[in-house]
């Protein structure tokens, strides 16, 4: 994971000097492979709330932060299995440079890996999870 990647800098703005959530500990709840183009989107949620929330979030109670990372210019897509597993490793290396980046999610029995030319946080949201 590098600071040169646009998705990382978007989260860095919300977290400031506090640690950005480790993708390996976030709930990895969403994968979308766009069959019309060359993009893959991952969805994550965490209860590690950003200390610098968006102003519109101040009007609601929440304990969970969600964010979606969209990768574009995807090539060399490899998928093995489709079920999400709790124990897995998320790696995003490189950045939005001429060399692009490499993304992968691996568990003991499932994996997805690809190269991409760019990445961005396409959406963020917060909500209240659990009993009220």
């Amino acid at each position: 994971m590098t600071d040169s990647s646009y998705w990382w800098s978007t989260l860095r703005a919300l977290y400031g000097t506090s640690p950005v959530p480790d993708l390996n500990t976030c709930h990895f709840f969403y994968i979308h492979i766009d069959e019309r183009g060359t993009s893959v989107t991952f969805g994550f949620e965490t209860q590690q709330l950003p200390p610098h929330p968006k102003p519109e979030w101040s009007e609601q109670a929440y304990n969970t932060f969600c964010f979606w990372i969209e990768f574009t210019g995807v090539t060399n897509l490899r998928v093995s299995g489709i079920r999400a597993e709790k124990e897995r490793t998320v790696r995003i290396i490189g950045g939005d440079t001429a060399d692009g980046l490499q993304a992968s999610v691996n568990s003991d029995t499932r994996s997805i890996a690809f190269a991409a030319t760019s990445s961005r946080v396409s959406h963020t949201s917060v909500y209240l999870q659990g009993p009220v």
Side-chain angles (χ1 to χ4, degrees):
M1 205 167 354
T2 67
D3 287 330
S4 63
S5 189
Y6 179 66
W7 73 267
W8 178 261
S9 61
T10 301
L11 291 183
R12 176 57 50 218
L14 292 169
Y15 282 87
T17 58
S18 297
V20 171
D22 179 346
L23 298 181
N24 291 319
T25 61
C26 292
H27 176 60
F28 180 53
F29 70 93
Y30 181 85
I31 296 176
H32 180 251
I33 301 170
D34 188 347
E35 73 284 357
R36 300 161 297 169
T38 57
S39 70
V40 173
T41 304
F42 291 164
F44 297 93
E45 70 178 14
T46 181
Q47 292 185 331
Q48 182 182 335
L49 302 178
H52 306 285
K54 292 182 178 181
E56 59 266 25
W57 296 346
S58 66
E59 313 232 345
Q60 61 183 338
Y62 61 90
N63 61 8
T64 305
F65 171 61
C66 290
F67 58 98
W68 288 258
I69 303 173
E70 178 186 21
F71 302 91
T72 56
V74 170
T75 58
N76 301 321
L77 176 66
R78 296 173 308 282
V79 178
S80 173
I82 57 173
R83 193 181 95 215
E85 294 173 304
K86 187 171 183 164
E87 296 298 321
R88 42 85 185 122
T89 303
V90 179
R91 289 191 56 191
I92 302 171
I93 55 174
D96 296 335
T97 65
D99 295 333
L101 54 92
Q102 300 290 318
S104 66
V105 179
N106 294 294
S107 71
D108 288 342
T109 59
R110 318 273 187 231
S111 69
I112 181 170
F114 53 87
T117 57
S118 65
S119 63
R120 69 184 182 102
V121 172
S122 61
H123 182 69
T124 58
S125 67
V126 293
Y127 63 90
L128 190 59
Q129 179 177 330
V132 180

